[in-house]
Amino acid sequence: MAVLGRQFELCRKEYEEAALRVLRSGWYILGKEGEAFEQEFARYVGRRYCIGVNSGLDALTLSVRALGIGEGDEVIVPANTYIASVLAVTANRAVPVFVEPDGYYGMDVDQMAQAVTEKTKAIMVVHLYGQAARMDAVMEIAARHGLRVIEDCAQSHGARFRGGMTGAFGDAGCFSFYPTKNLGAFGDAGAVVTDDARLADTLCKLRNYGSKVKYHNELLGVNSRLDEIQAALLRVKLRHLEELVREREAIAGRYLAGIRNPALLLPEIRAGANHVWHQFVVRTGQRDDFQEYLEGCGIKTMIHYPVPPHLAECYAYLGHHRGAYPIAEQYADEVLSLPMFNGMQDEEVDYVIESCNRWQGHQGVS
């Protein structure tokens, strides 16, 4: 059975009941299910407001716009993130300023501080792979320079830093509920959480053609609304999220304890942070050989991500070339995500561990 099919089976009856409840209601957009999910998710994260939107990218893009960031403004972003983080900046005609990663795959806060200029308006911090970033340092830098903070929490549902939930630190916490996420819907979906009433009001308008009252369009908005069926299904999964995270933690714990191949660099957990293991990412200087070997063992892996955003073809106009951000580029050449999903069987975890340990790699990371 496919990975997502297994996750459906874990709560099949509840999902089917939720979907039928919406279908029978006759109300499919901006209704009671969406309102209930927004309240429940805001409470889970620890924020006053939640605004459901169509996707994680829309959550980021609309947050940048709602914060008044536009043409010529600079936004600090990680050099090793998924391109969506950067697309949200450039969609608003702002300028992404890349910062190298640290050893935990988050932004290096020392380099972040050095990247601030008089044009900088915001920091977009990404809790990559499910591990919370160094939010104490990020918030201190933002406060010192009067910057806005946007948290990209697309991979960090339930992750915490020093007890605070990711998404609860910055001006806006942006979540993706793409099906493969720890809190995944059954299609595209996303949300923004915030404590700022004015920001929440602006986002509610922007997602709905710029209007709060039908046909009275106050802003140049878009159509980006979390539909009722997805909201209802997310309400089911949210009730189980903590147990789903614990299951991933258990799988990751077995990987960390069992993989003993010196050619592989295993992930580490940052002091003060917890990791919800959206991805379990290892590194090796022989990544392509290792991936081909695992494929031969019947183990499917993914690369998150093979092309850093500054080298993406669509950003050639920014003028970056290979060598501009060597750490991010090295990670892109070396990272590999091992199987990590809810419903993974013990014997499958054992097989991955055994296969990793059998691989005859010649050296570790470069």
Side-chain angles (χ1 to χ4, degrees), residues 326-346:
I327 300 174
E329 293 164 16
Q330 178 185 349
Y331 286 3
D333 292 339
E334 295 179 348
V335 294
L336 191 69
S337 299
L338 299 183
M340 168 62 71
F341 55 90
N342 293 105
M344 195 171 180
Q345 301 300 306
D346 288 346

Side-chain angles (χ1 to χ4, degrees), residues 131-149:
Q131 177 161 210
R134 275 194 60 189
M135 291 312 298
D136 55 347
V138 172
M139 299 308 295
E140 189 277 326
I141 294 168
R144 190 193 325 155
H145 296 282
L147 305 177
R148 296 301 191 102
V149 175

Side-chain angles (χ1 to χ4, degrees), residues 307-326:
V307 181
H310 69 279
L311 296 180
E313 185 177 352
C314 63
Y315 286 129
Y317 73 91
L318 293 174
H320 298 298
H321 301 284
R322 188 162 186 89
Y325 299 95

